[in-house]
Amino acid sequence: MADPRGFMTTPRRVAERRPVEERVKDWKEVYPGGAGRALLPIITEQAGRCMDCGIPFCHQGCPLGNLIPEWNDLVWRDDWSDAIERLHATNNFPEFTGRLCPAPCETSCVVGINRDPVTIKNVEVSIIDKAWDENNVQPEPPEWLTGKTVAVVGSGPAGLAVAQQLTRSGHTVAVYERDDQPGGLLRYGIPEFKMEKEHVDRRILQMQREGTVFRTGVRIGEKITGTQLRDRYDAVVLAIGATVRRDLPAPGRELGGIHQAMDYLPQANRVALGEEVEDQIVATGKDVVIIGGGDTGADCLGTAIRQGARSVTSLEIMPQPGEDRPEHQPWPTYPMIYRVASAHEEGGDRVYAVSTKEFVGEDGDVTGLRITEVEMKDGRFEEVEGSERVIPAQLVLFAMGFTGPEKEGVVEQLGVELDERGNVVRDVNFMSSVDGVFVAGDCGRGQSLIVWAIAEGRAAAAGVDAYLTDGTSTLPRPIKPTDRPLTV
Ligand SMILES: Cc1cc2nc3c(=O)[nH]c(=O)nc-3n(C[C@H](O)[C@H](O)[C@H](O)COP(=O)(O)OP(=O)(O)OC[C@H]3O[C@@H](n4cnc5c(N)ncnc54)[C@H](O)[C@@H]3O)c2cc1C
Ligand code: SF4
């Protein structure tokens, strides 16, 4: 056990972010020197707050089943090399989750029943960042090769996790990615200020040194079809994400200046990394309206502020949640509460319980949105009479989520079965309805989180490994395809 009295004597502390006026002038992470380093002065005593409660509900909260009390104890004892070994035992990429996870482990931490929970996510990122800084993360190539080949389609966190697990098990793995660089949403969705891309780059390098081959700029379904891929490899894993964006077909939708977040953010990410993008969508000098909250909305907000938007308004149809757990979402569930991401500290207005009726414009370009307040009655949103108004906008960004994987191309060619929500159906071993074609991440689960994508990749790897060998696998299976977050 870490400090036996820590949870009573030490208050929860988190690292200070850089001052807003400084950080909005650049694209670097919001923590000075990056999250892990910023935390080092306080993290030992924070890890000491873990009370090793006996039944660690944080294990249930974390889809990866991270061994949280074990590494809290090791950090408190200053045993960082064992701490990273325990962390890597369940998580291939803790630098991604330690920065980006909404930390459902913390909302199920036992200390959190009547005090502030342990800063689990911060301990996690400190362990991995220190391990990288001390050259303690090395390639782990397999000792022997099985002679079996696997193609992974998509290089987001699910594709990377499945590929790393299978390469280390001795299978020969090629990852196909249609973008010019691997990483999926980690690279072109999530902005630098949340996670600098060097963290993705050095994992890719580690994976290459282990033997994983990356074929970028290859969209499976075009020159190479899904069926050709299945014929060439002993197994195929679909990890293509849920990239079909939700739209808002209100009058005026055709006006210029209305874009999907995932057209806007990748361009901004490329420019932040020094690339030039022709006809870039920019927020500079504009009134920006973001429709939809969530991670994507917050990422648009932080990006628009850094580009010098005149104003940024985020619209959300749901009412503003409270700051405390609602009674019907008790510990250890992940509650709907009012959360403030780093981007929300930087500016902009958050407007709740409103709906967009129309986009208004001039000369073909959007100039504003006609919105109305709404309230929930008998399970349906109803307009509040007399609340209609027009708010200015020369740039509108849709951040309303995703409805599933793209069907045309590889999905259609392979003929995999889809469920009623349009996601790829898989069995308990993460195999689709087509023999030897497996599924991992958002394309099977639906739009989700990085931690779930990594857990899916790890679990699907066990299914593939068993399929390619004698029907058994020693690889971990942290989740089943049907597992869902701890909610009520
Ligand atoms: C803007 C944004 C911000 C987010 N922020 C967070 C966050 O802070 N924390 C969090 O936990 N989650 C966040 N999420 C969600 C998280 O990023 C996803 O749940 C996660 O990336 C899903 O991983 P994946 O590997 O299944 O798919 P993806 O990351 O979507 O990767 C799929 C990959 O497949 C490739 N691909 C698709 N079709 C083909 C094809 N035919 N051939 C070759 N390649 C193909 C795509 O190009 C892509 O690279 C965010 C999502 C968005 C959109
Ligand atoms: S991956 Fe997420 S849920 Fe798991 S320990 Fe880290 S922050 Fe918590």
Side-chain angles (χ1 to χ4, degrees):
M1 177 179 181
D3 182 354
R5 297 178 60 77
F7 67 97
M8 292 184 284
T9 54
T10 310
R12 177 181 162 111
R13 275 179 68 197
V14 293
E16 298 276 322
R17 292 173 179 147
R18 293 190 288 138
V20 168
E21 52 289 1
E22 174 193 316
R23 70 192 200 225
V24 296
K25 294 192 191 114
D26 62 50
W27 295 96
K28 291 189 181 312
E29 284 187 15
V30 296
Y31 293 98
R37 287 186 206 137
L39 285 156
L40 276 181
I42 59 168
I43 210 64
T44 305
E45 60 167 23
Q46 289 302 308
R49 294 185 70 236
C50 177
M51 63 180 188
D52 195 12
C53 50
I55 302 178
F57 279 80
C58 52
H59 283 194
Q60 260 85 12
C62 174
L64 286 161
N66 273 349
L67 305 167
I68 296 160
E70 289 188 37
W71 36 260
N72 277 334
D73 180 51
L74 290 163
V75 166
W76 189 71
R77 290 170 200 285
D78 213 21
D79 186 351
W80 292 83
S81 60
D82 278 356
I84 185 60
E85 188 273 320
R86 299 314 287 144
L87 180 51
H88 269 150
T90 57
N91 188 352
N92 298 63
F93 313 119
E95 64 274 40
F96 305 160
T97 46
R99 286 179 165 72
L100 302 167
C101 189
C105 53
E106 294 186 16
T107 54
S108 59
C109 169
V110 171
V111 178
I113 295 175
N114 57 357
R115 291 164 192 263
D116 293 329
V118 176
T119 54
I120 298 170
K121 170 176 157 172
N122 286 351
V123 180
E124 180 176 28
V125 76
S126 303
I127 297 171
I128 181 60
D129 280 14
K130 192 168 164 67
W132 278 110
D133 280 352
E134 294 178 353
N135 213 14
N136 213 356
V137 184
Q138 294 297 330
E140 297 172 34
E143 282 175 16
W144 52 277
L145 294 176
T146 62
K148 300 285 185 186
T149 57
V150 184
V152 176
V153 188
S155 65
L160 295 181
V162 75
Q164 186 166 63
Q165 292 292 91
L166 289 171
T167 300
R168 288 178 174 177
S169 303
H171 305 302
T172 302
V173 181
V175 179
Y176 289 87
E177 170 54 58
R178 64 186 175 187
D179 276 331
D180 57 344
Q181 291 197 61
L185 288 172
L186 296 169
R187 184 178 297 279
Y188 289 127
I190 287 155
E192 284 283 284
F193 56 82
K194 271 171 57 179
M195 185 175 75
E196 291 172 20
K197 300 312 159 216
E198 66 159 355
H199 299 291
V200 183
D201 291 338
R202 60 188 180 187
R203 273 299 172 186
I204 303 295
L205 193 60
Q206 181 202 34
M207 290 178 67
Q208 286 170 327
R209 288 182 174 155
E210 290 169 350
T212 305
V213 173
F214 288 90
R215 303 240 181 275
T216 52
V218 183
R219 181 193 293 264
I220 300 300
E222 290 183 343
K223 277 195 187 139
I224 305 173
T225 65
T227 7
Q228 284 169 333
L229 204 67
R230 179 65 195 100
D231 290 343
R232 277 190 213 170
Y233 287 85
D234 294 311
V236 170
V237 183
L238 290 179
I240 56 175
T243 46
V244 178
R245 305 101 179 248
R246 201 165 272 126
D247 212 287
L248 181 58
R253 169 65 183 92
E254 71 290 348
L255 290 165
I258 304 175
H259 301 277
Q260 285 282 352
M262 277 308 292
D263 289 329
Y264 170 69
L265 289 173
Q267 293 186 348
N269 268 345
R270 286 179 185 276
V271 171
L273 291 168
E275 278 183 53
E276 275 184 28
V277 171
E278 241 178 80
D279 298 325
Q280 190 196 351
I281 306 161
V282 281
T284 318
K286 295 178 184 162
D287 300 301
V288 180
V289 171
I290 302 163
I291 304 184
D295 286 329
T296 311
D299 292 352
C300 289
L301 168 64
T303 303
I305 287 173
R306 279 165 182 72
Q307 288 180 342
R310 181 165 48 210
S311 73
V312 188
T313 308
S314 302
L315 305 183
E316 177 56 61
I317 195 164
M318 299 300 288
Q320 179 169 342
E323 295 196 357
D324 298 321
R325 266 183 191 281
E327 266 181 28
H328 65 283
Q329 294 174 353
W331 178 93
T333 60
Y334 190 74
M336 290 293 294
I337 54 171
Y338 183 76
R339 292 188 166 86
V340 180
S342 69
H344 297 127
E345 295 171 349
E346 293 163 1
D349 292 325
R350 299 166 86 177
V351 182
Y352 288 88
V354 289
S355 171
T356 304
K357 294 194 77 173
E358 182 191 4
F359 301 101
V360 291
E362 253 175 53
D363 302 330
D365 287 325
V366 70
T367 55
L369 283 81
R370 187 178 308 283
I371 60 169
T372 174
E373 287 170 24
V374 290
E375 54 190 19
M376 185 78 89
K377 279 195 188 143
D378 303 325
R380 292 184 46 204
F381 287 111
E382 283 189 13
E383 288 180 22
V384 177
E385 224 175 285
S387 66
E388 210 172 282
R389 61 189 192 273
V390 174
I391 55 171
Q394 300 84 47
L395 175 63
V396 179
L397 298 169
F398 289 169
M400 297 176 294
F402 302 85
T403 57
E406 291 162 36
K407 314 300 176 292
E408 59 287 352
V410 63
V411 167
E412 269 173 10
Q413 290 160 359
L414 285 167
V416 290
E417 195 187 321
L418 303 176
D419 66 18
E420 65 287 351
R421 294 166 62 217
N423 299 321
V424 187
V425 171
R426 57 270 176 86
D427 67 12
V428 70
N429 291 314
F430 287 80
M431 189 155 81
S432 72
S433 57
V434 175
D435 184 63
V437 176
F438 290 77
V439 187
D442 281 7
C443 64
R445 172 167 292 275
Q447 176 194 352
S448 184
L449 295 170
I450 289 157
V451 63
W452 282 99
I454 300 173
E456 289 245 339
R458 289 172 70 82
V464 178
D465 187 41
Y467 176 80
L468 293 177
T469 55
D470 59 357
T472 61
S473 174
T474 53
L475 289 176
R477 295 174 192 256
I479 53 164
K480 295 194 280 300
T482 47
D483 284 348
R484 289 288 174 265
L486 269 182
T487 49
V488 282

